């Protein structure tokens, strides 16, 4: 792009950082329309012909400026080539070509037996009247690229708006919650179950072999709501194949701190146990009941029912009937038509999630105003993006 067209591009983009994506897209379209109109006013297709001739002429000058200046034989040979090629270019131009005289004057500037850099500069200056036609096309192409860039930015903003609108809608929903609702009716059964499963799991850890616990972890792969971290492959293989896997996890962790001589009384290979277990103490310590608990505040009724359905086989495997009964009580919260689960769950979410600032913004109507503004912005962006732009 020429310097003049580049300046025009910069000017058209001034302040774009402060403009919204929609304003940037509309501005880019106006820029294209104006550039296209200037081309039409200057002659339409004739502008493209003049621009092509200008580019061909300047390329010739740039190709020979170093080779055709000087006094040597090769310089003279290059000069003859340049003059012949430039003369052919000008002679083939139609007489009615826009800026035709500029090409003749440029030819006159290099019509000498010996050329210097100043002669090339005069030829470039002579072509200046024709340069405007190339600049018109360059500006229109720059405007087209600006439209593409603005469309990309606008589409990105539209995707962002989905999340922002969803967040404001969540706040509005939480703001409509009954903050005086008796959420303890929901929390007490969940707390009772969580405490029971945590106690039961601690007992399970000190009774079940490491191999059995790892089988439980392996089974959880097929249950998305039972999010246990899987053991490293080398540790899993060791527990599965070595007799040490018959010990409980607390025992293995204890043995990992024994001296090798003392450890030889408990396992077939002290080095192997230290290599496999001692390096994985953090992982082994982290195996607990957390993936089998019900988070507070709880999720929506459908998600809670699904979670309970997935964790129940694991609870039945490691805990007694009393803990399973606690879990059934939690499930009934989300299935009993007499229990106002949705109302209490929403209230619990509101109490847990709404910050003081969010409550204030909800109370004075700012969140509602933001939601309306975001929806309006999304609608206008979608309308703008439906417009077909020049390719």
């Amino acid at each position: 792009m020429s310097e003049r067209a580049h300046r025009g591009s910069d000017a058209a983009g001034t302040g774009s950082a402060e403009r919204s994506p929609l304003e940037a897209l509309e501005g880019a379209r106006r820029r294209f329309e104006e550039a296209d109109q200037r081309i039409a006013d200057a002659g339409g297709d004739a502008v493209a012909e003049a621009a092509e001739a200008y580019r061909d002429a300047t390329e010739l000058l740039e190709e020979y400026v170093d080779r055709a200046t000087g006094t040597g034989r090769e310089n003279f040979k290059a000069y003859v080539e340049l003059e012949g090629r430039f003369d052919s270019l000008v002679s083939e131009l139609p007489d009615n070509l826009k800026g035709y005289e500029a090409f003749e004057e440029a030819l006159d500037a290099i019509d000498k037996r010996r050329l210097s850099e100043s002669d090339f500069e005069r030829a470039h200056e002579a072509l200046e009247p024709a340069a405007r036609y190339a600049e018109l096309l360059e500006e229109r192409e720059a405007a087209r690229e600006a439209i593409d860039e603005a469309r990309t930015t606008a589409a990105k903003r539209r995707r962002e708006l989905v999340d922002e609108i969803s967040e404001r809608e969540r706040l509005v929903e939480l703001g409509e919650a009954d903050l005086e609702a008796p959420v303890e009716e929901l929390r007490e059964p969940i707390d009772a179950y969580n405490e029971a499963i945590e106690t039961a799991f601690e007992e399970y850890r000190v009774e079940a072999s490491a191999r059995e616990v790892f089988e439980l972890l392996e089974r959880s792969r097929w249950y998305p709501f039972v999010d246990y971290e899987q053991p490293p492959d080398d540790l899993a293989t060791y527990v599965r194949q070595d007799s040490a896997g018959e010990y409980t996890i607390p025992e293995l962790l204890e043995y990992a701190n024994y001296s090798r001589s003392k450890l030889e009384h408990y396992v077939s290979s002290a080095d192997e146990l230290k290599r496999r277990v001692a390096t994985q103490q953090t992982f082994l310590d982290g195996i607990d009941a957390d993936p089998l608990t019900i988070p507070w505040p709880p999720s929506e009724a459908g998600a809670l029912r699904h979670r309970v359905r997935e964790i129940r086989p694991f609870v039945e495997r490691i805990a007694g009937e009393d803990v399973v009964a606690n879990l059934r009580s939690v499930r009934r919260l989300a299935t009993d038509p007499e229990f106002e689960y949705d109302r209490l769950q929403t209230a619990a979410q509101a109490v847990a999630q709404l910050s003081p600032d969010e409550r204030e913004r909800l109370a004075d109507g700012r969140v509602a105003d933001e939601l309306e503004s975001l929806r309006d912005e999304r609608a206008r962006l979608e309308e703008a993006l439906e417009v077909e732009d020049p390719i």
Side-chain angles (χ1 to χ4, degrees):
M1 182 184 296
S2 70
E3 181 180 355
R4 183 183 304 170
H6 185 70
R7 288 198 301 269
S9 173
D10 287 346
T14 300
S16 61
E18 293 79 22
R19 293 186 298 172
S20 71
L22 178 61
E23 291 170 336
L25 179 55
E26 292 173 340
R29 284 171 173 163
R30 286 194 300 272
R31 177 183 172 187
F32 181 87
E33 291 170 0
E34 292 167 0
D36 197 50
Q37 185 59 51
R38 285 195 292 271
I39 290 174
D41 294 342
D45 292 341
V47 171
E49 295 175 1
E52 182 180 3
Y54 170 78
R55 286 191 290 266
D56 290 343
T58 54
E59 286 174 4
L60 268 178
L61 294 175
E62 289 166 3
E63 180 183 348
Y64 282 92
V65 63
D66 294 325
R67 296 163 51 200
T69 53
T71 58
R73 173 178 293 184
E74 293 300 319
N75 301 122
F76 182 75
K77 180 180 178 182
Y79 157 71
V80 172
E81 289 178 5
L82 168 62
E83 186 179 37
R85 292 178 64 185
F86 207 98
D87 183 70
S88 296
L89 184 152
V90 174
S91 63
E92 292 174 1
L93 296 177
D95 294 340
N96 61 350
L97 179 77
K98 289 184 175 295
Y100 178 80
E101 296 79 5
F103 296 95
E104 290 186 322
E105 291 179 11
L107 178 59
D108 290 341
I110 61 170
D111 187 15
K112 303 170 64 176
R113 291 188 60 80
R114 187 175 299 168
L115 292 178
S116 65
E117 290 186 6
S118 61
D119 296 319
F120 280 89
E121 291 173 1
R122 282 193 295 274
H124 277 293
E125 290 172 0
L127 287 171
E128 271 297 304
R132 64 180 293 264
Y133 301 111
E135 291 167 357
L136 286 173
L137 293 183
E138 290 169 2
E139 168 58 13
R140 185 172 66 179
E141 182 58 30
R144 181 183 288 110
E145 293 174 359
I147 289 176
D148 291 341
E149 182 178 346
R151 284 188 69 95
T152 299
T153 302
K156 178 183 178 182
R157 175 57 183 161
R158 180 175 58 180
R159 292 191 297 271
E160 294 172 350
L161 284 168
V162 172
D163 293 334
E164 293 184 23
I165 289 172
S166 176
E167 173 62 15
R168 299 315 190 283
E169 289 174 340
R170 182 190 68 85
L171 289 177
V172 169
E173 181 182 358
L174 293 176
E176 295 171 350
D178 179 6
L179 299 182
E180 302 302 320
V183 294
E184 65 276 2
E185 295 179 12
L186 181 60
R187 178 147 202 171
E188 288 174 0
I190 291 176
D191 284 350
Y193 163 73
N194 285 342
E195 291 173 8
I197 189 61
E198 287 167 358
T199 298
F201 199 92
E202 283 301 314
E203 295 173 355
Y204 176 70
R205 271 177 61 97
V206 300
E207 295 173 358
S209 69
R211 187 174 299 154
E212 180 181 341
V213 175
F214 275 31
E215 289 172 358
L216 190 79
L217 302 186
E218 173 66 24
R219 185 181 182 187
S220 72
R221 288 177 182 270
W222 312 107
Y223 295 82
F225 280 91
V226 186
D227 191 22
Y228 274 112
E229 181 183 356
Q230 296 300 308
D233 290 342
D234 56 349
L235 177 61
T237 301
Y238 176 69
V239 168
R240 184 172 59 250
Q241 297 179 355
D242 195 279
S243 60
E246 298 172 6
Y247 290 114
T248 67
I249 288 176
E251 288 173 333
L252 288 178
L253 290 171
E254 181 182 352
Y255 295 160
N257 294 316
Y258 284 4
S259 66
R260 282 177 168 74
S261 59
K262 183 177 180 181
L263 192 53
E264 289 175 352
H265 298 291
Y266 298 90
V267 294
S268 58
S269 172
D271 288 338
E272 185 75 0
L273 184 139
K274 284 187 171 292
R275 186 163 53 250
R276 302 306 180 195
V277 177
T279 59
Q280 298 295 340
Q281 292 189 46
T282 300
F283 170 78
L284 292 168
D285 279 329
I287 302 174
D288 56 24
D290 189 63
L292 303 178
T293 59
I294 306 297
W296 182 265
S299 53
E300 296 178 354
L304 178 62
R305 290 193 298 268
H306 197 111
R307 183 179 188 87
V308 170
R309 185 165 59 248
E310 287 203 2
I311 66 179
R312 180 169 175 170
F314 294 85
V315 176
E316 291 174 337
R317 183 168 178 174
I318 68 175
E321 177 55 33
D322 56 336
V323 183
V324 178
N326 284 338
L327 183 60
R328 285 198 297 266
S329 296
V330 171
R331 186 177 188 279
R332 277 196 296 272
L333 298 175
T335 57
D336 185 354
E338 300 290 324
F339 187 77
E340 297 180 300
Y341 181 85
D342 291 339
R343 171 173 169 251
L344 298 180
Q345 187 265 349
T346 301
Q349 292 277 350
V351 171
Q353 296 182 20
L354 285 177
S355 67
D357 175 67
E358 288 170 335
R359 293 188 186 189
E360 182 179 337
R361 286 167 52 219
L362 282 165
D364 62 21
R366 276 181 288 166
V367 172
D369 291 342
E370 292 168 7
L371 179 57
E372 181 180 359
S373 176
L374 291 169
R375 285 172 173 168
D376 179 64
E377 182 184 355
R378 180 179 63 181
R380 289 185 289 116
L381 269 178
E382 288 176 344
E383 182 180 357
L385 288 169
E386 287 177 358
V387 175
E388 292 187 8
D389 288 304
I391 300 174

